[in-house]
Amino acid sequence: MTHQRTLSFTLNGRPVTATARTHETILEVLQRDFGLFGARESCGQGLCGCCTLLVNGTAVSGCLYLAAFADGAELVTVEGLARGGTQHPIQCAFVEKSGFQCGFCTPGMILMTKELLGRHPRPTDEQIRHYLSGNLCRCATYPDIIESVRRAAELV
Amino acid sequence: MGSLDFARGREVGRSLGRLEAAAKVDGTVEYIHNLRLPGMLHGRIHRSSIPHGRIVRIDTSAALAVAGVHAVVTADDVARLVPDPYYGPAFHDQPILATGKVRHVGEPVAVVLADNPHAAEEAADLVAVEYEPLEAVFDEVAAAAPDAPVLHDELRPAGMFTDLKHLAGRRDTNVALDARLRSGDVEQAFAEAEHVFEHTFRTGKVMHAAFEPMVTVAEPHAAGGLTIHTASQSPSFVRSEISRLLGWPENRVRVRTAFLGGGFGAKLYIKLEAMAAVCALLARRPVRIALSMDEQFYTITKHGATVRIKTGVARDGRMTARQVETFWNGGAYADIGPRVTQKSGFSAAGPYDIEHVALDNYAVYTNEPPAGALRGFGISQLVWAYERQADVIARTLGIDPLEFRRRNALRNGRPHATGTVVVGMEVDAVLDRLAEAMAWDKPFDRGTGTIRRGRGIGIGVKACVSPTTSTAAVHIYGDGSCAVHCSTVDMGQGSDTTMAQIAAEVLGIPTTDVRVVHPDTDVTPYDMATLGSRSTFHMGNAVRRAAEDARAQIERMAPGATSFRDAMLARFAMQAGTVVGFGSYAPSYQKPDPETGLSANITPFWMLGGAGAEVEVDTETGRITVTKLVNVADVGRAINPASVERQLTGAAIMQLGFTLFEEMVFSDGQVLNASLADYKIPGFLDVPRELTGTFVEAPHPEGPFGAKGVGETGIFSPSPAIANALYDATGVMLYDMPLTPERVLRAIREAGGRPLEQA
Ligand code: FES
Ligand code: FES
């Protein structure tokens, strides 16, 4: 019996295929087969948001997301936000406002911001705090992240 | 001086963005976490399930039967390569893998090597270890008692720190170090004091929870060397310690790091490096050992501490005598604990001018996971005690808390309890800024009914650890471009950018034109470690000197050149060559007297941090909401003001977590909440509505451009500020951190004569 599965999905706009064992998470596939490390594991329990990626436009925790579920889906990681060498406006905002220190949580914060701005283009501070509250930052760069999200709302 | 444009004053003092900003927002920034090497094996640790016991036998057969498993490494295998497998910065007490005995739950006993992480994980669970349990001890005070079960047969100081040498050969004790300070005559001063206050304060164990979990990849070389890629704050130390263990010269061990996803003191000295190195040498293949977040709880923690503090006060509110006895819960292995004990312990009199001081500090082994450095290196445990007590004294004497601190402040030119005359520490400026930010002279609404409001302040001081050395090189390449080579590790604090600013300032070029080469012991020169807020001061001085050296060489070799590019062309007759400027810095220091702890020169600089908090307390639930938190630091001069403020707000929030809810919960040495699911760290919703990180500047005479370190300063004082605000709001006195709703509610109910039943 084989525990391998071939998957086809769209990754950052390009159709791709990959083989994954049934117990493997999407993170392992992204890292091993595509060399993408922007979604990264920290808590491994769906609690910190470092492993965030977008699946069909919705933010999910890659550490808990089995690779098999990605079959047929559209995946976006932080590496897929820039267009033709130009940073996405949310990335520009995080650079401008220095919304990071060690940077380990940053891709997750950026992708959550993307989802937030998709639903609330002009978020209040309360909305920002609540929407991002599932993403943690041990460097506690929270004030600068909030500033970055505010700025992103202006730029997007 | 030639005609090169070496204008000064352009780069230092500016809030520049990070050099690596683009890579951090597009996900491509390098962490060791990302490293995969061809043919690499994955190591997974099998850990002790008991707190103290002899290892009777280890059965690896079931683990070896798992498909994909290459080997299971135990202490016997380690011994073939490393006959004396004990390591540590202060004591050689920690075995690479448990040898004969385990001393804490979670101690590594075996490592499974497999070709994929899932097989390694499955097999690690199948390693079967039979133990003969021994009596265990967990409390630091109980463990220091003469009848306590003893963890280590004999103390083995490492020799790196000469002031620990006298401990060699001590037997039958868990007290790894007792450090004392005696200044004046406390007994007589207590007898003469108008008031004497005596309290015992405690802090529990907490954990760093750096988001990039610890990771090391060891890569053996056919020619007999070893490269260790590791998320470490101390690459130079890793090189020397691994070389010592293997009996190799340092030049056969290469240690390199990348950006770190946080450190906070967790990634210092040896963590996974020795284990990964041995596994790789045995397997003759690269080995990656990467911890999960949960495993970090069993690897290194902050010290829990019991602080007994007694203070004598004169009628006018001046403190005349202070005696502090501190027991530091060091866990099963010393790590850097004895240094925490010693280097922080002597600051227990606080930023106060107290004539008679007696301090006793005990680093104690217990059967809990090892404790080491965590942002602040023991200071916040002491500030918790002396600043809580300060408010009790002030209130008892009817003195405003701010005024009480002013009255007792230790000012420049006065001797600290160690005897060192204080230079470059701005207590008054910090208190003034705090008063202003807290609007201390304005009336304050304390609320009515079940929501009570209060405000509080605290100040704390740390002496930067000494003596330590930093060295740096500044390279000018053939085309005139520039790179700084230094072994300071950028773990999020922004040291790359700071060092680039310092070099750029000296060289008269934009910061963005400076490249900072990451620590690689084959390439970057020695640095003691990235710890204790020492980098800006020590490495900053080394980089500054290296840049000055490079600049002077260029000026000499090509007088009249108008750019580095032209200078190189003029000197080498083509666009080629290298100019290397070198700089090193090691402050002067005087070893404390072993009997009295006195020294005329104990530290290169003092770090002073003050905090103010406003809180709302729900007297029906015990819940504290911090509505305003202010962190003020005395930084000498800010090389990058925005970066400094970010360190201060970040530290404020981290310490808020330690104050209100973070605590490792133990039962018989097991951590009951070893995951972020049960061990909560601050999130967006915990951030106070008003949060300020601010600093005062008074250039330090020896700092690079006047700068001092700041990475820890913001950690010192938020805890007592919050507890003092609770005290102000409710009159309730708490002695133990964290201030959980349950503790607060129990105290409120008790004060109101309606105690809650014990659970
Ligand atoms: S690693 Fe997935 S949520 Fe923390
Ligand atoms: S920037 Fe370090 S965890 Fe967020």
Side-chain angles (χ1 to χ4, degrees):
Chain A
M1 189 176 96
T2 168
H3 298 282
Q4 299 260 348
R5 221 188 127 167
T6 304
L7 317 167
S8 309
F9 52 94
T10 313
L11 177 59
N12 295 330
R14 281 183 312 132
V16 296
T17 59
T19 1
R21 286 183 244 183
T22 41
H23 56 265
E24 283 181 323
T25 66
I26 190 66
L27 278 193
E28 296 179 85
V29 174
L30 292 175
Q31 297 183 349
R32 185 187 56 219
D33 295 348
F34 301 99
L36 297 177
F37 292 94
R40 45 186 76 120
E41 183 161 321
S42 180
C43 74
Q45 291 184 304
L47 299 158
C48 71
C50 290
C51 59
T52 303
L53 68 152
L54 301 179
V55 177
N56 298 327
T58 302
V60 305
S61 292
C63 68
L64 299 179
Y65 197 88
L66 288 178
F69 296 154
D71 198 28
E74 205 172 300
L75 270 52
V76 175
T77 68
V78 75
E79 291 93 339
L81 292 186
R83 282 284 162 268
T86 309
Q87 284 171 345
H88 188 279
I90 300 174
Q91 293 171 315
C92 297
F94 272 74
V95 170
E96 193 185 316
K97 297 294 177 189
S98 290
F100 55 85
Q101 294 194 77
C102 80
F104 212 73
C105 68
T106 312
M109 295 289 176
I110 288 174
L111 289 170
M112 239 15 234
T113 303
K114 187 163 191 304
E115 197 188 74
L116 163 69
L117 297 181
R119 305 208 175 148
H120 307 281
R122 290 280 170 271
T124 62
D125 279 7
E126 279 314 286
Q127 279 172 322
I128 295 173
R129 283 173 183 246
H130 277 99
Y131 214 92
L132 296 189
S133 63
N135 288 59
L136 298 171
C137 174
R138 190 50 158 170
C139 302
T141 320
Y142 297 117
D144 308 273
I145 297 172
I146 294 171
E147 282 275 310
S148 304
V149 178
R150 280 191 208 133
R151 179 69 180 137
E154 289 166 18
L155 294 179
V156 167
Chain B
M1 172 155 176
S3 51
L4 281 164
D5 180 15
F6 290 135
R8 285 173 182 266
R10 289 182 179 168
E11 301 300 311
V12 160
R14 291 176 62 195
S15 290
L16 299 173
R18 296 290 177 86
L19 293 178
E20 75 284 7
K24 280 190 174 164
V25 302
D26 71 13
T28 60
V29 66
E30 188 195 3
Y31 301 107
I32 298 301
H33 182 82
N34 303 353
L35 183 69
R36 306 288 186 275
L37 295 175
M40 182 178 88
L41 295 169
H42 297 262
R44 177 83 183 186
I45 300 168
H46 175 89
R47 296 175 179 279
S48 168
S49 55
I50 64 166
H52 199 188
R54 288 189 199 294
I55 299 172
V56 178
R57 86 179 52 79
I58 303 176
D59 181 355
T60 60
S61 53
L64 282 166
V66 174
V69 169
H70 178 91
V72 181
V73 177
T74 67
D76 289 345
D77 305 300
V78 173
R80 285 193 277 127
L81 264 183
V82 187
D84 185 3
Y86 295 89
Y87 64 84
F91 288 80
H92 292 157
D93 61 355
Q94 190 160 7
I96 295 173
L97 287 172
T99 304
K101 192 173 161 177
V102 291
R103 297 181 178 86
H104 69 93
V105 173
E107 177 165 1
V109 176
V111 183
V112 173
L113 302 179
D115 59 18
N116 73 80
H118 296 282
E121 186 174 351
E122 183 188 337
D125 285 343
L126 297 174
V127 174
V129 184
E130 191 186 317
Y131 298 101
E132 178 194 314
L134 296 168
E135 194 193 339
V137 60
F138 306 109
D139 178 80
E140 60 271 15
V141 179
D147 58 343
V150 173
L151 274 80
H152 297 270
D153 296 339
E154 185 178 323
L155 300 185
R156 291 183 64 197
M160 177 159 103
F161 303 116
T162 53
D163 43 2
L164 300 178
K165 275 209 179 104
H166 66 285
L167 298 164
R170 265 193 209 178
R171 299 183 69 88
D172 302 323
T173 179
N174 291 322
V175 178
L177 173 75
D178 45 340
R180 50 196 256 139
L181 186 144
R182 295 287 181 275
S183 166
D185 182 347
V186 280
E187 288 312 329
Q188 173 148 7
F190 283 135
E192 288 169 6
E194 183 79 14
H195 310 270
V196 175
F197 296 84
E198 218 172 332
H199 300 98
T200 300
F201 293 92
R202 283 188 195 82
T203 58
K205 282 200 170 180
V206 297
M207 208 272 280
H208 313 67
F211 270 11
E212 178 195 26
M214 290 170 196
V215 55
T216 299
V217 182
E219 184 187 7
H221 299 303
L226 185 66
T227 298
I228 299 175
H229 313 260
T230 182
S232 169
Q233 296 174 230
S234 50
S236 300
F237 179 83
V238 171
R239 176 178 61 177
S240 56
E241 190 70 341
I242 298 293
S243 304
R244 184 188 66 79
L245 286 165
L246 293 171
W248 292 3
E250 289 195 23
N251 64 9
R252 277 171 64 192
V253 179
R254 173 184 173 207
V255 180
R256 58 171 295 272
T257 66
F259 284 106
L260 263 54
F264 312 113
K267 297 172 179 172
L268 280 165
Y269 314 111
I270 296 293
K271 289 296 174 294
L272 303 173
E273 292 85 357
M275 201 186 290
V278 166
C279 290
L281 290 171
L282 289 170
R284 295 167 200 261
R285 282 168 70 174
V287 169
R288 176 182 196 256
I289 302 182
L291 296 192
S292 66
M293 181 61 79
D294 306 11
E295 288 179 283
Q296 297 198 97
F297 285 87
Y298 288 102
T299 305
I300 194 77
T301 71
K302 182 168 173 164
H303 286 79
T306 299
V307 187
R308 298 177 183 151
I309 178 168
K310 182 174 172 186
T311 303
V313 188
R315 183 166 311 161
D316 63 358
R318 268 175 229 281
M319 296 188 277
T320 53
R322 171 162 286 173
Q323 186 171 36
V324 187
E325 196 181 25
T326 309
F327 295 83
W328 301 90
N329 191 328
Y333 296 104
D335 196 83
I336 200 63
R339 302 292 280 176
V340 170
T341 301
Q342 194 177 37
K343 296 288 175 185
S344 293
F346 70 67
S347 74
Y352 298 118
D353 202 334
I354 305 177
E355 198 180 339
H356 305 279
V357 176
L359 311 174
D360 286 282
N361 283 276
Y362 304 100
V364 188
Y365 285 120
T366 68
N367 292 107
E368 287 186 350
L374 194 160
R375 203 176 192 175
F377 219 67
I379 295 294
S380 59
Q381 293 93 324
L382 298 170
V383 182
W384 167 245
Y386 67 66
E387 284 302 89
R388 278 298 298 114
Q389 192 183 56
D391 267 35
V392 176
I393 300 173
R395 177 180 285 210
T396 309
L397 272 53
I399 304 172
D400 174 78
L402 187 76
E403 170 53 28
F404 176 75
R405 287 166 174 87
R406 283 210 171 101
R407 212 170 280 181
N408 285 286
L410 178 59
R411 297 193 166 84
N412 288 327
R414 292 281 305 158
H416 175 262
T418 50
T420 299
V421 174
V422 174
V423 176
M425 179 171 98
E426 307 300 324
V427 186
D428 292 305
V430 166
L431 286 173
D432 288 350
R433 179 66 62 86
L434 202 52
E436 182 192 328
M438 294 297 293
W440 198 257
D441 57 347
K442 299 272 170 349
F444 183 78
D445 171 13
R446 289 195 166 66
T448 49
T450 58
I451 303 291
R452 295 300 171 95
R453 304 182 69 246
R455 60 180 178 172
I457 56 168
I459 52 172
V461 68
K462 176 179 175 180
C464 182
V465 62
S466 195
T468 66
T469 300
S470 289
T471 62
V474 167
H475 291 224
I476 310 292
Y477 300 126
D479 65 352
S481 66
C482 161
V484 171
H485 289 219
C486 74
S487 294
T488 292
V489 180
D490 197 324
M491 49 193 181
Q493 82 281 38
S495 54
D496 277 13
T497 308
T498 302
M499 297 308 156
Q501 282 180 265
I502 289 172
E505 175 85 17
V506 174
L507 298 173
I509 59 176
T511 297
T512 44
D513 283 0
V514 178
R515 154 124 197 279
V516 179
V517 176
H518 279 163
D520 177 339
T521 57
D522 269 8
V523 176
T524 58
Y526 173 86
D527 177 45
M528 186 262 188
T530 303
L531 58 76
S533 311
R534 62 177 292 283
S535 300
T536 297
F537 193 90
H538 293 74
M539 187 58 82
N541 267 322
V543 167
R544 178 187 180 163
R545 288 175 180 182
E548 282 168 355
D549 183 24
R551 182 179 110 153
Q553 291 183 48
I554 297 239
E555 281 170 347
R556 275 199 305 275
M557 76 188 200
T562 54
S563 69
F564 289 157
R565 192 184 166 84
D566 289 354
M568 298 305 276
L569 182 63
R571 166 68 178 77
F572 295 98
M574 61 174 86
Q575 213 65 64
T578 307
V579 167
V580 182
F582 184 75
S584 80
Y585 179 78
S588 61
Y589 174 69
Q590 188 188 319
K591 223 168 93 172
D593 179 279
E595 283 309 306
T596 62
L598 299 181
S599 158
N601 183 3
I602 198 74
T603 184
F605 67 92
W606 302 92
M607 300 154 65
L608 185 80
E614 290 181 8
V615 304
E616 275 174 17
V617 186
D618 184 332
T619 56
E620 289 188 311
T621 64
R623 194 184 150 85
I624 298 174
T625 306
V626 178
T627 51
K628 175 171 177 166
L629 192 53
V630 175
N631 235 343
V632 184
D634 158 22
V635 302
R637 180 168 179 213
I639 303 286
N640 185 320
S643 225
V644 167
E645 286 164 7
R646 209 166 288 122
Q647 281 287 301
L648 292 172
T649 51
I653 297 168
M654 186 178 219
Q655 193 63 30
L656 177 142
F658 296 154
T659 309
L660 294 183
F661 43 80
E662 287 186 47
E663 182 177 33
M664 290 169 64
V665 181
F666 287 92
S667 169
D668 282 335
Q670 294 272 359
V671 186
L672 299 183
N673 56 345
S675 87
L676 291 193
D678 301 309
Y679 180 97
K680 292 293 179 195
I681 66 170
F684 278 95
L685 302 178
D686 299 303
V687 178
R689 284 198 290 276
E690 264 186 88
L691 175 70
T692 309
T694 178
F695 54 84
V696 297
E697 288 187 305
H700 188 282
E702 225 187 302
F705 304 101
K708 303 197 287 185
V710 69
E712 302 167 306
T713 315
I715 283 287
F716 305 158
S717 303
S719 300
I722 291 168
N724 289 339
L726 168 73
Y727 185 52
D728 182 49
T730 61
V732 152
M733 178 74 188
L734 283 177
Y735 303 92
D736 295 1
M737 253 188 2
L739 308 173
T740 58
E742 181 179 337
R743 280 194 184 138
V744 173
L745 186 61
R746 283 188 185 284
I748 290 174
R749 292 288 294 266
E750 201 153 316
R754 298 181 302 137
L756 290 175
E757 277 173 34
Q758 285 302 321

